[in-house]
Amino acid sequence: MAKFETFVIFAEMRTGSNLLEAALNALPGVTCHGEAFNPVLIGYPNRKDLLGVTQTLRDSDPMVLWKAIKQGDGLNGCRYFHDHDPRMLSKFLDDPKCAKVVLTRNPIESYVSLKIAKATGQWKLGDAKHRKPGKARFEAAEFEEHLEQLQSFQIQLMNALQKSGQTAFYIDYEDAQSVEIINGLAEWLGVEARLSAMPDSLKVQNPEPLEAKVSNFPGMEASLARLDRFNLSRTPNFEPRRGPGVPGFIACKEAGLLYMPMRPALDASIRAWMGKIGGLEEGFSQKTLRQWKRRHSGHRSFTVLRHPLMRAHLAFAAVLEWDSMFETRAVLRKSYKLAIPDEGQTLEAGRHGEALIGFLGWLKANIANQTSLPVNALWATQSALLQGLAQFALPDLLVREDRMALDLAYLAQSVGIENAPEFDPTDGDVAAVKLAEYWTPDLEAAARECYPRDFMQFGFGDWKRAD
């Protein structure tokens, strides 16, 4: 039984995919049908059809062409770039009988090669005497966009293969010119044929070093030095993904306003404001919320961003005070030695700052999925909560807690509410001991250690300054 029924070469422009295709086509029993799903052409330039399938027919139903490719004699496949027909990507990735060959090249090399090809109009070279010389001019913003596209597509491929338990044959631009590696690829594909030499129909177009191919090479060096190639500034995120939490959404019955709370939320004051506008509607399912949206044309949705230190303070207060947190208190007290008083007792006066710093230290590990307790929505990052909301719909406005009166007035105006009631900015700190009573710079530093992603994403300053 054949190991694979089809194959796809995941590549990009100027990565050597023409040469790799030529090498595979030189193997008896193997056929690569070019860029079969390139929206600009079908297979190759100046072709009207491929295997009897016209470009118009392919565009209306790409599976017609893929079925024609699969039905060919031997092992058949094609090349696929990140900007080819997106309908086909899942067809390739979800099929374990479709072999995945991933061809890569140093991004700066592919970028320079692409610039030269566009400048000279020469995309293939069969003989060096026909070579058109040219140089590229490096543009930093253009290269960063090029790099982002390549990296995003590679991550998408890798994640899809990991989730489905598949593997790909990875091959680099230089490796694609090695007959030994091409024969290794043939072995992996389950093809018996082997090459004795690489096909000589194509030649490397620009074999010179980058310094000779880039007109502003010193400027390119300076720009690349500023790029964070290893993503050193990235904040790792191991937090579990969250759902949208639709049952907790609150809407106005008579107006098109929808509140998407992120706990611990400012429910009381927002409910009061929305209730004055025309009553409340809640307890939604996704179906009933869609019905509400259809009834309220021009609706606007919002959520409220709170300072991470305030959220941690309120979450800790919930842990200390809520009956439903009984088991959580026991685990934190016994397993993690946090300053959680025994049941029926309260935290000693003056110890809230020390206790919250300990809790923030534990939160940092919990959010990184390193503790025995799951990440509760009360202390999850607002970044993760927003991603959860986005699974249903993104809010139209991220309201800042420190300017709620202005933002809510704007929302009311945007849905046509005349003379909207003033928002009562009651204190959102509902804990028994207020944060302002024990705030210290050490608490601020601990919050930044715990929630670096939220501080970076939303530009929070110190809570004390905002208070």
Coordinates of all heavy atoms in Angstrom, one line a residue, residues 416-465:
G416 N -27.7 56.5 19.2 CA -28.9 57.4 19.1 C -29.7 57.7 20.3 O -30.8 58.1 20.2
I417 N -29.1 57.5 21.5 CA -29.8 57.8 22.7 C -29.6 59.3 23.1 O -28.5 59.7 23.3 CB -29.3 56.9 23.9 CG1 -29.5 55.4 23.6 CG2 -30.0 57.3 25.2 CD1 -28.9 54.5 24.6
E418 N -30.7 60.0 23.1 CA -30.7 61.4 23.4 C -30.9 61.5 24.9 O -31.7 60.9 25.6 CB -31.8 62.1 22.7 CG -31.8 62.1 21.2 CD -30.6 62.9 20.6 OE1 -30.1 63.7 21.4 OE2 -30.2 62.6 19.5
N419 N -30.1 62.5 25.5 CA -30.2 62.8 27.0 C -30.0 61.5 27.8 O -30.8 61.2 28.7 CB -31.6 63.4 27.3 CG -31.8 64.7 26.5 OD1 -30.9 65.5 26.4 ND2 -33.0 64.8 25.9
A420 N -29.0 60.8 27.5 CA -28.6 59.6 28.3 C -28.4 59.9 29.7 O -27.8 61.0 30.0 CB -27.4 58.9 27.7
P421 N -28.7 59.1 30.7 CA -28.4 59.4 32.1 C -26.9 59.4 32.3 O -26.2 58.8 31.7 CB -29.1 58.2 32.8 CG -29.1 57.1 31.8 CD -29.3 57.7 30.5
E422 N -26.6 60.2 33.3 CA -25.1 60.3 33.7 C -24.7 59.0 34.4 O -25.5 58.4 35.2 CB -24.9 61.5 34.6 CG -25.0 62.8 33.9 CD -24.5 64.0 34.8 OE1 -23.9 63.7 35.8 OE2 -24.7 65.1 34.4
F423 N -23.5 58.6 34.1 CA -23.0 57.4 34.8 C -22.5 57.8 36.2 O -21.8 58.8 36.3 CB -21.9 56.8 33.9 CG -21.2 55.6 34.6 CD1 -21.9 54.4 34.7 CD2 -20.0 55.7 35.2 CE1 -21.3 53.3 35.3 CE2 -19.4 54.7 35.8 CZ -20.0 53.4 35.9
D424 N -23.0 57.0 37.1 CA -22.6 57.3 38.5 C -21.3 56.5 38.8 O -21.3 55.3 38.9 CB -23.7 56.8 39.5 CG -23.3 57.0 40.9 OD1 -22.3 57.8 41.2 OD2 -24.0 56.5 41.8
P425 N -20.2 57.2 38.8 CA -18.9 56.6 39.0 C -18.6 56.1 40.5 O -17.7 56.6 41.2 CB -17.9 57.7 38.6 CG -18.5 58.9 39.0 CD -20.0 58.7 38.8
T426 N -19.5 55.3 40.9 CA -19.3 54.7 42.3 C -18.0 53.9 42.4 O -17.5 53.4 41.4 CB -20.5 53.9 42.7 OG1 -20.7 52.9 41.7 CG2 -21.8 54.7 42.8
D427 N -17.5 53.8 43.6 CA -16.2 53.1 43.8 C -16.4 51.6 43.4 O -17.3 50.9 43.9 CB -15.8 53.2 45.2 CG -14.5 52.6 45.5 OD1 -13.8 52.2 44.6 OD2 -14.1 52.6 46.7
G428 N -15.6 51.2 42.4 CA -15.6 49.8 42.0 C -14.9 48.8 42.9 O -15.0 47.6 42.7
D429 N -14.3 49.3 43.9 CA -13.5 48.5 44.9 C -14.5 48.0 46.0 O -14.8 48.8 46.9 CB -12.4 49.3 45.5 CG -11.5 48.4 46.4 OD1 -11.9 47.3 46.8 OD2 -10.4 48.9 46.8
V430 N -15.1 46.8 45.8 CA -16.1 46.4 46.7 C -15.5 45.4 47.8 O -16.3 44.8 48.5 CB -17.2 45.6 46.0 CG1 -17.9 46.6 45.0 CG2 -16.6 44.4 45.2
A431 N -14.2 45.4 47.9 CA -13.6 44.5 48.9 C -13.8 45.1 50.3 O -14.0 46.3 50.5 CB -12.1 44.3 48.6
A432 N -13.7 44.2 51.3 CA -13.9 44.7 52.7 C -12.8 45.7 53.1 O -13.0 46.7 53.8 CB -13.8 43.5 53.7
V433 N -11.5 45.4 52.6 CA -10.4 46.4 52.8 C -10.1 46.9 51.5 O -9.8 46.2 50.5 CB -9.2 45.6 53.4 CG1 -8.0 46.6 53.6 CG2 -9.6 45.0 54.8
K434 N -10.1 48.3 51.3 CA -9.9 48.9 50.1 C -8.4 48.9 49.7 O -7.5 49.0 50.5 CB -10.3 50.4 50.1 CG -11.8 50.5 50.6 CD -12.8 49.9 49.6 CE -14.2 50.1 50.0 NZ -15.1 49.4 49.1
L435 N -8.1 48.8 48.4 CA -6.8 48.8 47.9 C -6.0 50.1 48.3 O -4.8 50.0 48.6 CB -6.8 48.6 46.3 CG -5.4 48.6 45.6 CD1 -4.5 47.6 46.2 CD2 -5.6 48.5 44.1
A436 N -6.7 51.2 48.2 CA -6.0 52.5 48.5 C -5.5 52.5 50.0 O -4.6 53.2 50.3 CB -7.0 53.6 48.3
E437 N -6.1 51.6 50.8 CA -5.7 51.7 52.2 C -4.3 51.0 52.5 O -3.7 51.2 53.5 CB -6.8 51.0 53.1 CG -8.1 51.7 53.1 CD -9.2 50.9 53.8 OE1 -8.8 50.0 54.6 OE2 -10.3 51.3 53.7
Y438 N -3.9 50.1 51.5 CA -2.6 49.4 51.8 C -1.7 49.4 50.6 O -0.7 48.6 50.5 CB -2.9 48.0 52.3 CG -3.5 47.1 51.3 CD1 -2.8 46.2 50.5 CD2 -4.9 47.0 51.2 CE1 -3.3 45.3 49.6 CE2 -5.5 46.1 50.3 CZ -4.7 45.3 49.5 OH -5.3 44.4 48.6
W439 N -2.0 50.2 49.5 CA -1.2 50.3 48.3 C 0.3 50.6 48.7 O 0.6 51.4 49.5 CB -1.7 51.3 47.3 CG -0.8 51.4 46.1 CD1 -1.0 50.7 45.0 CD2 0.3 52.3 45.9 NE1 0.0 51.1 44.0 CE2 0.8 52.0 44.6 CE3 0.9 53.2 46.7 CZ2 1.9 52.7 44.1 CZ3 2.1 53.8 46.2 CH2 2.5 53.6 44.9
T440 N 1.2 49.9 48.0 CA 2.7 50.2 48.1 C 3.3 50.1 46.7 O 2.8 49.4 45.9 CB 3.4 49.3 49.1 OG1 3.3 48.0 48.6 CG2 2.8 49.3 50.5
P441 N 4.5 50.7 46.5 CA 5.2 50.5 45.2 C 5.5 49.0 45.0 O 5.6 48.5 43.9 CB 6.4 51.3 45.4 CG 6.1 52.4 46.4 CD 5.1 51.7 47.3
D442 N 5.7 48.2 46.1 CA 6.0 46.8 46.0 C 4.8 46.1 45.4 O 5.0 45.1 44.6 CB 6.4 46.2 47.3 CG 7.8 46.7 47.8 OD1 8.5 47.2 47.0 OD2 8.0 46.5 49.0
L443 N 3.6 46.4 45.7 CA 2.4 45.8 45.1 C 2.4 46.1 43.6 O 2.1 45.2 42.8 CB 1.2 46.3 45.8 CG 0.8 45.7 47.1 CD1 -0.4 46.4 47.7 CD2 0.4 44.2 46.9
E444 N 2.7 47.3 43.3 CA 2.7 47.7 41.9 C 3.7 46.9 41.1 O 3.4 46.4 40.0 CB 3.1 49.2 41.8 CG 2.6 49.9 40.5 CD 1.1 50.2 40.5 OE1 0.7 51.0 41.4 OE2 0.4 49.7 39.6
A445 N 4.9 46.7 41.7 CA 5.9 45.9 41.0 C 5.5 44.5 40.9 O 5.7 43.8 39.8 CB 7.2 46.0 41.8
A446 N 4.9 43.9 41.9 CA 4.4 42.5 41.9 C 3.3 42.3 40.8 O 3.3 41.3 40.1 CB 3.9 42.1 43.2
A447 N 2.4 43.3 40.6 CA 1.4 43.2 39.6 C 2.0 43.2 38.2 O 1.6 42.5 37.3 CB 0.4 44.4 39.7
R448 N 3.1 44.0 38.0 CA 3.7 44.1 36.7 C 4.4 42.7 36.4 O 4.5 42.3 35.3 CB 4.7 45.2 36.6 CG 4.1 46.6 36.6 CD 5.1 47.7 36.4 NE 4.4 49.0 36.3 CZ 4.0 49.5 35.2 NH1 4.2 48.9 34.0 NH2 3.3 50.7 35.1
E449 N 5.0 42.1 37.5 CA 5.6 40.8 37.3 C 4.6 39.8 36.9 O 4.8 38.9 36.1 CB 6.3 40.4 38.6 CG 7.6 41.1 38.8 CD 8.7 40.4 37.9 OE1 8.8 39.2 37.8 OE2 9.6 41.2 37.4
C450 N 3.4 39.9 37.5 CA 2.3 38.9 37.3 C 1.6 39.0 35.9 O 1.3 38.1 35.3 CB 1.3 39.0 38.4 SG 0.0 37.8 38.3
Y451 N 1.4 40.3 35.5 CA 0.6 40.6 34.4 C 1.4 41.4 33.3 O 0.9 42.4 32.8 CB -0.6 41.4 34.7 CG -1.7 40.6 35.5 CD1 -1.9 40.8 36.9 CD2 -2.4 39.6 34.9 CE1 -2.8 40.1 37.6 CE2 -3.4 38.9 35.6 CZ -3.6 39.1 37.0 OH -4.5 38.4 37.7
P452 N 2.6 41.0 32.9 CA 3.4 41.8 31.9 C 2.6 41.9 30.6 O 2.8 43.0 30.0 CB 4.7 41.0 31.8 CG 4.3 39.5 32.1 CD 3.3 39.7 33.2
R453 N 1.9 40.9 30.2 CA 1.2 41.0 28.9 C 0.1 42.1 28.9 O 0.0 42.9 28.0 CB 0.6 39.7 28.5 CG -0.1 39.6 27.2 CD -0.6 38.2 26.9 NE 0.5 37.3 26.7 CZ 1.1 37.1 25.6 NH1 0.7 37.8 24.5 NH2 2.1 36.3 25.5
D454 N -0.6 42.2 30.0 CA -1.7 43.2 30.0 C -1.1 44.6 30.2 O -1.6 45.5 29.6 CB -2.6 42.9 31.2 CG -3.6 41.8 30.9 OD1 -3.6 41.3 29.8 OD2 -4.5 41.5 31.8
F455 N 0.0 44.7 30.9 CA 0.6 46.0 31.0 C 1.1 46.5 29.7 O 1.0 47.7 29.3 CB 1.7 46.0 32.0 CG 1.3 46.3 33.5 CD1 1.0 45.2 34.3 CD2 1.1 47.5 33.9 CE1 0.6 45.4 35.6 CE2 0.7 47.8 35.2 CZ 0.4 46.7 36.1
M456 N 1.7 45.6 28.9 CA 2.2 45.9 27.6 C 1.1 46.1 26.6 O 1.1 47.1 25.9 CB 3.1 44.8 27.1 CG 3.7 45.0 25.7 SD 2.7 44.4 24.4 CE 2.8 42.6 24.7
Q457 N 0.1 45.2 26.6 CA -1.0 45.3 25.6 C -1.8 46.6 25.7 O -2.2 47.2 24.7 CB -1.9 44.1 25.7 CG -1.3 42.8 25.2 CD -1.3 42.6 23.7 OE1 -1.4 43.5 23.0 NE2 -1.3 41.4 23.3
F458 N -2.1 47.0 27.0 CA -3.1 48.0 27.2 C -2.5 49.3 27.8 O -3.2 50.2 28.0 CB -4.2 47.5 28.1 CG -4.8 46.2 27.6 CD1 -4.8 45.0 28.4 CD2 -5.5 46.2 26.4 CE1 -5.3 43.9 27.9 CE2 -6.1 45.0 25.9 CZ -6.0 43.8 26.7
G459 N -1.2 49.3 27.9 CA -0.5 50.6 28.3 C -0.9 51.1 29.7 O -0.9 52.3 29.9
F460 N -1.1 50.2 30.7 CA -1.4 50.6 32.0 C -0.2 51.3 32.7 O 0.9 50.9 32.5 CB -1.8 49.4 32.9 CG -3.2 48.8 32.6 CD1 -3.3 47.6 32.0 CD2 -4.3 49.6 32.8 CE1 -4.5 47.1 31.7 CE2 -5.6 49.0 32.5 CZ -5.7 47.8 31.9
G461 N -0.5 52.4 33.4 CA 0.5 53.0 34.3 C 0.3 52.5 35.7 O -0.3 51.4 35.9
D462 N 0.9 53.1 36.7 CA 0.8 52.7 38.0 C -0.7 53.0 38.5 O -1.2 54.1 38.2 CB 1.7 53.5 38.9 CG 3.2 53.0 38.8 OD1 3.3 52.0 38.1 OD2 4.1 53.6 39.3
W463 N -1.2 52.1 39.3 CA -2.6 52.3 39.7 C -2.7 53.5 40.6 O -3.7 54.2 40.6 CB -3.1 51.0 40.5 CG -4.5 51.2 41.0 CD1 -5.7 51.0 40.3 CD2 -4.8 51.6 42.3 NE1 -6.7 51.3 41.2 CE2 -6.3 51.7 42.4 CE3 -4.1 51.9 43.5 CZ2 -6.9 52.0 43.5 CZ3 -4.8 52.3 44.6 CH2 -6.2 52.3 44.6
K464 N -1.7 53.7 41.5 CA -1.8 54.8 42.5 C -1.9 56.1 41.8 O -2.6 57.0 42.2 CB -0.6 54.7 43.4 CG -0.6 55.7 44.5 CD -1.8 55.4 45.5 CE -1.8 56.3 46.7 NZ -2.9 56.0 47.6
R465 N -1.2 56.2 40.6 CA -1.2 57.5 39.9 C -2.6 57.7 39.2 O -3.0 58.8 39.0 CB -0.1 57.5 38.8 CG 1.3 57.5 39.4 CD 2.3 58.0 38.3 NE 3.6 57.8 38.8 CZ 4.5 56.9 38.4 NH1 4.1 56.1 37.5 NH2 5.7 56.8 38.9

